[in-house]
Amino acid sequence: MKEILEYLQGYQGRPLKLMEVCGTHTAEINRNGIPGLLPPSIQLVSGPGCPVCVTVTEYIDRLIELGKEPQNVVVTFGDMLRVPGSRCSLSEAKAGGCRVKMVYSPMDILRLAEEDRGNIYIFAAVGFETTAPVYAMLLKKALEKGITNIRLLTSLKVMPPVISWMCAGGADCGIDGFLAPGHVCVITGSKAFEGLAAQLGIPFVVAGFEGEQILTAIAALVKLQGKGRVANFYPSAVTREGNRQARAAVAEYFEPADAAWRGMGIIPGSGMVLRKEYEAFDAGSRELTEDREKNSACCCAQVLTGKIKPSQCPLFGKVCTPQTPQGACMVSTEGSCFNSCYN
């Protein structure tokens, strides 16, 4: 590790802008103080890899509307409770009578729905390629058990299209290399990014989540500058082919679709929705495209695409804090603004 640090700190080349696109990487980079170990010529920026952060406000609004209907109970993870919609968050709506229940696993909804057949339980199914297999398994078990009072409101996204969008001019982000998301690559395989690397002529390095693993991957990105290659530095969990069984399960229940990203608009082919034959389990996911920030000065979009650092947002640390979040990037523990505030 000493040699890697010496290599990075002694870097004399042109300025580089490297992006991690995984929320867990963002958290670990900040927790390990990695930006402070790099020279000014190597800049790390966070990308749109926090699923909570890229969910549009209309999705939150729709959950609140559903939770206000007397027969419905919205079920979600804790980090979704405080994400601002266009008017309020789920947590605020719950205080006003919206029926919301927090769980730690999507599978908890099976027990809730089975024990209470008189209500419809709606899961806030947010995530990337990593969590989509879990929702496929949830539906499979619901069908096996004959549980029909479950619905999914999905905001499921895939990573390669949004990276392509950013680098093809959608965000004019000027990225020189990517730390590819380790969790996603467990499912997709490292080959999911090979076409992008060749097309863009920049390197992608699949990284683990320990501080030393991340620094090693950053050093590899620096060494691979100008080469459109994918390097796998997380071989203990990631293969080139990924998890074919998990992908097959997802393909059975979901199909590709255009998707709306918070602050970025609709990106073709960047989402997944339930197939028509399973639309009885859908709670209206296909129509959720509108994005109306509660605070118009929120700069989540610029932060998510690496155009600015969180501290450059006029709200950061003032109006917008972890206690009073104005945007999703400050809510999630994987959000860039949240991590910048604490590190």
Side-chain angles (χ1 to χ4, degrees), residues 141-223:
K141 288 188 175 296
L143 288 165
E144 288 173 351
K145 289 174 171 286
I147 301 173
T148 59
N149 57 326
I150 284 176
R151 304 288 184 273
L152 299 182
L153 191 70
T154 61
S155 179
L156 296 174
K157 295 177 170 64
V158 293
M159 291 304 309
V162 72
I163 295 175
S164 178
W165 177 86
M166 286 193 299
C167 293
D172 191 25
C173 56
I175 302 300
D176 298 297
F178 287 91
L179 282 178
H183 293 321
V184 167
C185 288
V186 169
I187 304 299
T188 67
S190 60
K191 72 175 184 180
F193 295 95
E194 290 176 355
L196 270 178
Q199 173 192 338
L200 299 171
I202 59 176
F204 285 69
V205 174
V206 183
F209 298 94
E210 299 294 330
E212 291 187 359
Q213 292 175 319
I214 294 171
L215 277 170
T216 301
I218 291 170
L221 280 175
V222 174
K223 292 177 181 178

Coordinates of all heavy atoms in Angstrom, one line a residue, residues 141-223:
K141 N -42.1 -15.8 -4.8 CA -42.6 -16.3 -3.6 C -44.1 -15.9 -3.3 O -44.8 -16.7 -2.8 CB -41.7 -15.9 -2.4 CG -40.4 -16.6 -2.4 CD -39.6 -16.3 -1.1 CE -38.3 -17.1 -1.0 NZ -38.5 -18.5 -1.0
A142 N -44.4 -14.7 -3.7 CA -45.8 -14.2 -3.6 C -46.7 -15.1 -4.4 O -47.8 -15.5 -4.0 CB -45.9 -12.8 -4.0
L143 N -46.3 -15.4 -5.7 CA -47.1 -16.2 -6.6 C -47.2 -17.7 -6.0 O -48.2 -18.3 -6.1 CB -46.4 -16.2 -8.0 CG -46.6 -14.9 -8.7 CD1 -45.7 -14.9 -9.9 CD2 -48.0 -14.7 -9.2
E144 N -46.1 -18.2 -5.5 CA -46.1 -19.5 -4.9 C -47.0 -19.7 -3.7 O -47.7 -20.7 -3.6 CB -44.7 -19.9 -4.5 CG -43.7 -20.2 -5.7 CD -42.3 -20.4 -5.3 OE1 -42.0 -20.2 -4.1 OE2 -41.5 -20.8 -6.1
K145 N -47.1 -18.6 -2.9 CA -47.9 -18.6 -1.7 C -49.3 -18.1 -2.0 O -50.2 -18.2 -1.1 CB -47.3 -17.7 -0.7 CG -46.0 -18.3 0.0 CD -45.4 -17.2 0.9 CE -44.2 -17.8 1.7 NZ -44.7 -18.7 2.8
G146 N -49.6 -17.7 -3.2 CA -50.9 -17.2 -3.5 C -51.3 -15.9 -2.8 O -52.4 -15.6 -2.6
I147 N -50.2 -15.1 -2.6 CA -50.4 -13.8 -1.9 C -50.7 -12.7 -3.0 O -49.8 -12.4 -3.8 CB -49.2 -13.4 -1.1 CG1 -49.0 -14.4 0.0 CG2 -49.4 -12.0 -0.4 CD1 -47.7 -14.2 0.8
T148 N -51.9 -12.2 -3.1 CA -52.2 -11.3 -4.2 C -52.4 -9.9 -3.7 O -52.6 -9.0 -4.6 CB -53.6 -11.7 -4.8 OG1 -54.6 -11.7 -3.8 CG2 -53.5 -13.1 -5.4
N149 N -52.2 -9.6 -2.4 CA -52.4 -8.2 -2.0 C -51.0 -7.5 -1.8 O -50.8 -6.8 -0.8 CB -53.2 -8.2 -0.6 CG -52.5 -9.0 0.5 OD1 -52.0 -10.1 0.2 ND2 -52.7 -8.6 1.7
I150 N -50.1 -7.8 -2.7 CA -48.8 -7.1 -2.7 C -48.7 -6.3 -4.0 O -49.1 -6.8 -5.1 CB -47.7 -8.1 -2.6 CG1 -47.5 -8.6 -1.2 CG2 -46.3 -7.6 -3.1 CD1 -46.5 -9.7 -1.0
R151 N -48.1 -5.1 -4.0 CA -47.8 -4.4 -5.1 C -46.4 -3.8 -5.0 O -45.9 -3.6 -3.9 CB -48.8 -3.2 -5.3 CG -50.3 -3.5 -5.3 CD -50.7 -4.2 -6.6 NE -52.1 -4.5 -6.6 CZ -52.7 -5.6 -6.1 NH1 -51.9 -6.5 -5.6 NH2 -54.0 -5.7 -6.2
L152 N -45.8 -3.5 -6.2 CA -44.5 -2.9 -6.2 C -44.7 -1.5 -6.9 O -45.3 -1.5 -8.0 CB -43.5 -3.7 -7.0 CG -43.1 -5.1 -6.4 CD1 -42.0 -5.7 -7.3 CD2 -42.7 -5.1 -5.0
L153 N -44.1 -0.5 -6.3 CA -43.9 0.8 -7.0 C -42.5 0.8 -7.3 O -41.6 1.0 -6.4 CB -44.4 2.0 -6.2 CG -44.5 3.3 -7.0 CD1 -45.6 3.2 -8.0 CD2 -44.6 4.5 -6.1
T154 N -42.1 0.6 -8.6 CA -40.7 0.4 -8.9 C -40.0 1.7 -9.4 O -40.6 2.6 -10.0 CB -40.5 -0.6 -10.0 OG1 -41.2 -0.2 -11.2 CG2 -41.1 -2.0 -9.6
S155 N -38.8 1.8 -9.0 CA -37.8 2.8 -9.5 C -36.5 2.1 -9.7 O -35.5 2.4 -9.0 CB -37.7 4.0 -8.6 OG -36.8 5.0 -9.1
L156 N -36.5 1.1 -10.6 CA -35.3 0.3 -10.8 C -34.5 0.8 -12.0 O -35.1 1.0 -13.1 CB -35.8 -1.2 -11.0 CG -36.5 -1.8 -9.8 CD1 -37.0 -3.2 -10.2 CD2 -35.5 -1.9 -8.6
K157 N -33.2 0.9 -11.8 CA -32.4 1.5 -12.9 C -31.2 0.6 -13.1 O -30.8 -0.2 -12.3 CB -32.0 2.9 -12.5 CG -33.2 3.9 -12.4 CD -32.8 5.3 -11.9 CE -33.9 6.3 -12.0 NZ -35.1 5.9 -11.2
V158 N -30.6 0.8 -14.3 CA -29.4 0.1 -14.7 C -28.3 1.2 -15.0 O -28.6 2.3 -15.5 CB -29.6 -0.8 -15.9 CG1 -30.5 -1.9 -15.5 CG2 -30.2 -0.1 -17.1
M159 N -27.0 0.8 -14.7 CA -26.0 1.8 -14.7 C -25.4 2.2 -16.1 O -25.1 3.4 -16.3 CB -24.8 1.3 -13.8 CG -25.1 1.3 -12.3 SD -25.7 2.9 -11.6 CE -24.4 4.0 -12.2
P160 N -25.1 1.2 -17.0 CA -24.4 1.6 -18.2 C -25.1 2.8 -19.0 O -24.4 3.7 -19.5 CB -24.4 0.3 -19.0 CG -24.3 -0.7 -18.0 CD -25.2 -0.2 -16.9
P161 N -26.4 2.8 -19.2 CA -27.0 3.9 -19.9 C -26.8 5.3 -19.4 O -26.6 6.2 -20.1 CB -28.5 3.5 -20.0 CG -28.6 2.0 -19.8 CD -27.4 1.7 -18.8
V162 N -26.9 5.4 -18.0 CA -26.7 6.7 -17.4 C -25.2 7.2 -17.6 O -25.0 8.4 -17.8 CB -27.2 6.8 -16.0 CG1 -26.2 6.0 -15.0 CG2 -27.3 8.2 -15.5
I163 N -24.3 6.3 -17.5 CA -22.9 6.6 -17.7 C -22.7 7.1 -19.2 O -22.0 8.1 -19.4 CB -22.0 5.5 -17.4 CG1 -22.0 5.2 -15.9 CG2 -20.5 5.8 -17.8 CD1 -21.3 3.9 -15.4
S164 N -23.3 6.3 -20.1 CA -23.2 6.7 -21.5 C -23.8 8.1 -21.7 O -23.3 8.9 -22.4 CB -23.9 5.7 -22.3 OG -23.9 6.0 -23.7
W165 N -25.0 8.3 -21.1 CA -25.6 9.7 -21.2 C -24.8 10.8 -20.7 O -24.6 11.8 -21.3 CB -26.9 9.6 -20.4 CG -27.7 10.9 -20.4 CD1 -28.6 11.3 -21.3 CD2 -27.7 11.9 -19.4 NE1 -29.1 12.6 -21.0 CE2 -28.5 12.9 -19.8 CE3 -27.0 12.1 -18.2 CZ2 -28.7 14.1 -19.0 CZ3 -27.1 13.2 -17.4 CH2 -28.0 14.2 -17.8
M166 N -24.1 10.6 -19.5 CA -23.3 11.6 -19.0 C -22.1 11.9 -19.9 O -21.7 13.1 -20.1 CB -22.7 11.2 -17.6 CG -23.8 11.2 -16.5 SD -23.0 11.1 -14.9 CE -22.2 9.5 -15.0
C167 N -21.5 10.9 -20.4 CA -20.3 11.1 -21.2 C -20.5 11.5 -22.6 O -19.6 12.0 -23.3 CB -19.4 9.8 -21.2 SG -18.8 9.4 -19.5
A168 N -21.7 11.2 -23.1 CA -22.1 11.6 -24.5 C -22.6 13.0 -24.6 O -23.1 13.4 -25.7 CB -23.1 10.6 -25.0
G169 N -22.5 13.8 -23.5 CA -22.9 15.2 -23.6 C -24.2 15.5 -22.8 O -24.5 16.7 -22.6
G170 N -24.8 14.5 -22.2 CA -26.0 14.8 -21.4 C -25.7 15.7 -20.2 O -26.5 16.5 -19.8
A171 N -24.5 15.5 -19.6 CA -24.1 16.3 -18.5 C -22.8 17.0 -18.7 O -22.4 17.8 -17.8 CB -24.0 15.4 -17.3
D172 N -22.1 16.7 -19.8 CA -20.8 17.3 -20.1 C -19.9 17.2 -18.9 O -19.4 18.2 -18.4 CB -21.0 18.8 -20.5 CG -19.7 19.4 -21.0 OD1 -18.9 18.7 -21.5 OD2 -19.6 20.7 -20.9
C173 N -19.7 16.0 -18.4 CA -19.0 15.8 -17.1 C -17.5 15.7 -17.2 O -16.9 15.9 -16.2 CB -19.6 14.5 -16.4 SG -19.4 13.0 -17.4
G174 N -17.0 15.4 -18.4 CA -15.5 15.4 -18.5 C -14.8 14.4 -17.6 O -13.7 14.7 -17.1
I175 N -15.3 13.2 -17.5 CA -14.7 12.2 -16.7 C -13.6 11.4 -17.4 O -13.8 11.1 -18.6 CB -15.8 11.2 -16.2 CG1 -16.9 11.9 -15.4 CG2 -15.2 10.1 -15.3 CD1 -16.5 12.7 -14.2
D176 N -12.5 11.2 -16.7 CA -11.4 10.5 -17.3 C -11.3 9.0 -17.0 O -10.5 8.3 -17.6 CB -10.1 11.2 -16.8 CG -10.0 12.6 -17.3 OD1 -10.0 12.9 -18.5 OD2 -10.0 13.5 -16.4
G177 N -12.2 8.6 -16.1 CA -12.2 7.2 -15.7 C -13.2 6.9 -14.6 O -13.6 7.8 -13.9
F178 N -13.7 5.7 -14.5 CA -14.7 5.3 -13.6 C -14.3 4.2 -12.7 O -13.7 3.2 -13.2 CB -16.0 4.9 -14.4 CG -16.7 6.0 -15.0 CD1 -16.4 6.3 -16.3 CD2 -17.7 6.7 -14.3 CE1 -17.1 7.4 -17.0 CE2 -18.4 7.7 -15.0 CZ -18.1 8.0 -16.3
L179 N -14.6 4.3 -11.4 CA -14.6 3.2 -10.5 C -15.9 2.5 -10.7 O -17.0 3.0 -10.3 CB -14.5 3.6 -9.0 CG -13.1 4.1 -8.5 CD1 -13.3 4.5 -7.1 CD2 -12.1 2.9 -8.6
A180 N -15.9 1.3 -11.4 CA -17.1 0.6 -11.7 C -17.7 0.0 -10.4 O -17.0 -0.3 -9.5 CB -16.9 -0.5 -12.7
P181 N -19.0 0.0 -10.3 CA -19.7 -0.4 -9.0 C -19.5 -1.9 -8.8 O -20.0 -2.7 -9.5 CB -21.1 0.0 -9.2 CG -21.3 0.0 -10.7 CD -20.0 0.4 -11.3
G182 N -18.9 -2.3 -7.6 CA -18.6 -3.7 -7.3 C -19.9 -4.5 -7.2 O -20.0 -5.6 -7.7
H183 N -20.8 -4.0 -6.4 CA -22.1 -4.7 -6.1 C -22.8 -5.0 -7.4 O -23.3 -6.1 -7.7 CB -23.0 -4.0 -5.2 CG -22.4 -3.8 -3.8 ND1 -21.7 -4.9 -3.2 CD2 -22.5 -2.8 -2.9 CE1 -21.4 -4.5 -2.0 NE2 -21.8 -3.3 -1.7
V184 N -22.9 -4.0 -8.3 CA -23.6 -4.1 -9.6 C -22.9 -5.2 -10.4 O -23.5 -6.1 -11.0 CB -23.7 -2.8 -10.3 CG1 -24.1 -3.0 -11.8 CG2 -24.7 -1.9 -9.6
C185 N -21.6 -5.1 -10.4 CA -20.8 -6.1 -11.3 C -20.9 -7.5 -10.8 O -20.7 -8.4 -11.6 CB -19.4 -5.6 -11.4 SG -19.1 -4.1 -12.4
V186 N -21.2 -7.7 -9.5 CA -21.4 -9.1 -9.1 C -22.6 -9.7 -9.9 O -22.5 -10.9 -10.2 CB -21.8 -9.1 -7.6 CG1 -22.3 -10.5 -7.2 CG2 -20.6 -8.7 -6.7
I187 N -23.6 -8.9 -10.2 CA -24.7 -9.4 -11.0 C -24.5 -9.3 -12.5 O -24.7 -10.3 -13.2 CB -26.0 -8.6 -10.7 CG1 -26.3 -8.6 -9.1 CG2 -27.2 -9.1 -11.5 CD1 -26.5 -10.0 -8.6
T188 N -24.0 -8.2 -13.0 CA -23.9 -8.0 -14.4 C -22.6 -8.6 -15.0 O -22.5 -8.9 -16.2 CB -23.9 -6.5 -14.7 OG1 -22.7 -5.9 -14.2 CG2 -25.1 -5.8 -14.2
G189 N -21.6 -8.8 -14.1 CA -20.3 -9.1 -14.6 C -19.5 -7.9 -15.1 O -20.2 -6.9 -15.5
S190 N -18.2 -7.9 -15.1 CA -17.4 -6.8 -15.5 C -17.6 -6.5 -17.0 O -17.4 -5.3 -17.5 CB -16.0 -7.0 -15.3 OG -15.5 -8.2 -15.9
K191 N -18.1 -7.4 -17.8 CA -18.3 -7.2 -19.2 C -19.3 -6.2 -19.5 O -19.4 -5.7 -20.7 CB -18.6 -8.5 -20.0 CG -19.9 -9.1 -19.7 CD -20.2 -10.3 -20.6 CE -21.6 -10.9 -20.4 NZ -21.8 -12.1 -21.3
A192 N -20.2 -5.9 -18.6 CA -21.3 -4.9 -18.8 C -20.7 -3.6 -19.1 O -21.4 -2.7 -19.7 CB -22.2 -4.8 -17.6
F193 N -19.5 -3.3 -18.8 CA -18.9 -2.0 -19.0 C -17.8 -2.0 -20.1 O -17.2 -1.0 -20.4 CB -18.3 -1.5 -17.7 CG -19.3 -1.2 -16.6 CD1 -19.6 -2.2 -15.7 CD2 -20.0 0.0 -16.6 CE1 -20.5 -1.9 -14.7 CE2 -21.0 0.2 -15.6 CZ -21.2 -0.7 -14.7
E194 N -17.6 -3.2 -20.7 CA -16.6 -3.2 -21.8 C -17.0 -2.4 -23.0 O -16.1 -1.7 -23.6 CB -16.4 -4.7 -22.2 CG -15.7 -5.5 -21.1 CD -15.6 -7.0 -21.4 OE1 -16.1 -7.4 -22.5 OE2 -14.9 -7.7 -20.7
G195 N -18.2 -2.4 -23.4 CA -18.6 -1.7 -24.6 C -18.5 -0.2 -24.4 O -18.0 0.6 -25.2
L196 N -18.8 0.3 -23.2 CA -18.7 1.7 -22.8 C -17.2 2.1 -22.8 O -16.9 3.2 -23.3 CB -19.3 2.0 -21.4 CG -20.8 2.3 -21.4 CD1 -21.2 2.5 -19.9 CD2 -21.0 3.6 -22.1
A197 N -16.4 1.3 -22.2 CA -15.0 1.6 -22.1 C -14.4 1.8 -23.5 O -13.6 2.8 -23.8 CB -14.2 0.5 -21.3
A198 N -14.7 0.9 -24.4 CA -14.2 0.9 -25.8 C -14.8 2.1 -26.5 O -14.0 2.8 -27.2 CB -14.5 -0.4 -26.5
Q199 N -16.0 2.4 -26.3 CA -16.7 3.5 -27.0 C -16.2 4.9 -26.6 O -15.9 5.8 -27.4 CB -18.2 3.4 -26.8 CG -19.0 4.6 -27.3 CD -20.4 4.6 -26.7 OE1 -20.9 3.6 -26.3 NE2 -21.0 5.8 -26.7
L200 N -16.0 5.0 -25.3 CA -15.5 6.3 -24.7 C -14.0 6.4 -24.7 O -13.5 7.6 -24.6 CB -16.1 6.4 -23.3 CG -17.6 6.4 -23.1 CD1 -18.0 6.3 -21.7 CD2 -18.2 7.6 -23.8
G201 N -13.3 5.3 -24.8 CA -11.9 5.4 -24.8 C -11.3 5.8 -23.4 O -10.2 6.4 -23.3
I202 N -12.0 5.4 -22.4 CA -11.5 5.6 -21.0 C -11.6 4.4 -20.2 O -12.4 3.5 -20.5 CB -12.3 6.8 -20.3 CG1 -13.8 6.4 -20.3 CG2 -12.1 8.1 -21.0 CD1 -14.6 7.5 -19.5
P203 N -10.8 4.3 -19.1 CA -10.8 3.0 -18.3 C -12.0 2.9 -17.3 O -12.4 3.9 -16.8 CB -9.5 3.0 -17.7 CG -9.2 4.5 -17.5 CD -9.8 5.2 -18.7
F204 N -12.4 1.7 -17.0 CA -13.3 1.4 -15.9 C -12.5 0.3 -15.1 O -12.0 -0.7 -15.6 CB -14.6 0.8 -16.5 CG -15.5 1.7 -17.1 CD1 -15.2 2.3 -18.3 CD2 -16.7 2.0 -16.5 CE1 -16.1 3.2 -18.9 CE2 -17.6 2.9 -17.1 CZ -17.3 3.5 -18.3
V205 N -12.5 0.6 -13.8 CA -11.9 -0.4 -12.9 C -12.9 -0.8 -11.9 O -13.5 0.0 -11.1 CB -10.6 0.2 -12.2 CG1 -10.1 -0.8 -11.2 CG2 -9.6 0.5 -13.2
V206 N -13.2 -2.1 -11.8 CA -14.1 -2.7 -10.8 C -13.4 -2.7 -9.5 O -12.3 -3.3 -9.4 CB -14.6 -4.1 -11.2 CG1 -15.6 -4.6 -10.2 CG2 -15.2 -4.1 -12.6
A207 N -14.0 -2.1 -8.5 CA -13.3 -2.0 -7.2 C -14.1 -2.6 -6.1 O -15.3 -2.6 -6.1 CB -13.1 -0.5 -6.9
G208 N -13.4 -3.1 -5.1 CA -14.0 -3.6 -3.8 C -14.3 -2.4 -3.0 O -14.3 -1.2 -3.4
F209 N -14.5 -2.6 -1.7 CA -15.0 -1.6 -0.8 C -14.1 -1.3 0.4 O -14.5 -0.3 1.2 CB -16.4 -1.9 -0.3 CG -17.4 -2.1 -1.5 CD1 -17.6 -3.3 -2.1 CD2 -18.0 -1.0 -2.0 CE1 -18.5 -3.4 -3.2 CE2 -18.8 -1.1 -3.1 CZ -19.1 -2.3 -3.7
E210 N -13.0 -1.9 0.6 CA -12.1 -1.6 1.6 C -11.2 -0.4 1.1 O -11.1 -0.2 -0.1 CB -11.2 -2.7 1.9 CG -11.9 -4.0 2.5 CD -12.5 -3.7 3.8 OE1 -12.0 -2.9 4.6 OE2 -13.6 -4.4 4.1
G211 N -10.7 0.4 2.0 CA -10.0 1.6 1.7 C -8.8 1.2 0.8 O -8.5 1.9 -0.2
E212 N -8.1 0.2 1.1 CA -6.9 -0.2 0.3 C -7.3 -0.7 -1.1 O -6.6 -0.4 -2.1 CB -6.1 -1.4 1.0 CG -5.4 -0.9 2.3 CD -4.5 -2.0 2.9 OE1 -4.5 -3.1 2.3 OE2 -3.9 -1.7 3.9
Q213 N -8.5 -1.4 -1.2 CA -9.0 -1.8 -2.5 C -9.3 -0.6 -3.4 O -9.1 -0.6 -4.6 CB -10.2 -2.7 -2.3 CG -9.9 -4.1 -1.7 CD -11.2 -4.8 -1.4 OE1 -12.2 -4.3 -1.0 NE2 -11.2 -6.1 -1.7
I214 N -9.9 0.4 -2.8 CA -10.3 1.6 -3.5 C -9.1 2.3 -4.0 O -9.0 2.7 -5.2 CB -11.2 2.5 -2.7 CG1 -12.6 1.8 -2.4 CG2 -11.5 3.8 -3.4 CD1 -13.4 2.5 -1.4
L215 N -8.1 2.5 -3.1 CA -6.9 3.2 -3.5 C -6.1 2.4 -4.6 O -5.6 3.0 -5.6 CB -5.9 3.4 -2.3 CG -6.2 4.6 -1.4 CD1 -5.4 4.5 -0.2 CD2 -5.9 5.9 -2.2
T216 N -6.1 1.1 -4.6 CA -5.5 0.3 -5.6 C -6.2 0.5 -6.9 O -5.6 0.6 -8.0 CB -5.5 -1.2 -5.2 OG1 -4.8 -1.4 -4.0 CG2 -4.9 -2.1 -6.3
A217 N -7.5 0.6 -6.9 CA -8.3 0.7 -8.1 C -8.1 2.1 -8.7 O -8.0 2.3 -9.9 CB -9.8 0.5 -7.8
I218 N -7.9 3.1 -7.8 CA -7.7 4.5 -8.3 C -6.3 4.5 -9.0 O -6.2 5.2 -10.1 CB -7.7 5.5 -7.1 CG1 -9.2 5.6 -6.6 CG2 -7.2 6.9 -7.6 CD1 -9.3 6.4 -5.4
A219 N -5.3 3.9 -8.4 CA -4.0 3.8 -9.0 C -4.1 3.2 -10.4 O -3.4 3.6 -11.4 CB -3.0 3.1 -8.1
A220 N -4.9 2.1 -10.5 CA -5.0 1.4 -11.8 C -5.7 2.3 -12.8 O -5.3 2.3 -14.0 CB -5.9 0.2 -11.6
L221 N -6.7 3.1 -12.4 CA -7.3 4.1 -13.3 C -6.3 5.1 -13.9 O -6.3 5.5 -15.0 CB -8.4 4.8 -12.6 CG -9.8 4.1 -12.5 CD1 -10.7 4.9 -11.7 CD2 -10.4 3.8 -13.9
V222 N -5.4 5.6 -13.0 CA -4.4 6.5 -13.4 C -3.4 5.9 -14.4 O -3.1 6.5 -15.4 CB -3.6 7.0 -12.2 CG1 -2.4 7.9 -12.6 CG2 -4.5 7.8 -11.2
K223 N -3.0 4.6 -14.1 CA -2.1 4.0 -15.0 C -2.7 3.6 -16.4 O -2.0 3.5 -17.4 CB -1.6 2.7 -14.4 CG -0.7 2.9 -13.2 CD -0.3 1.6 -12.5 CE 0.6 1.8 -11.3 NZ 1.0 0.6 -10.6

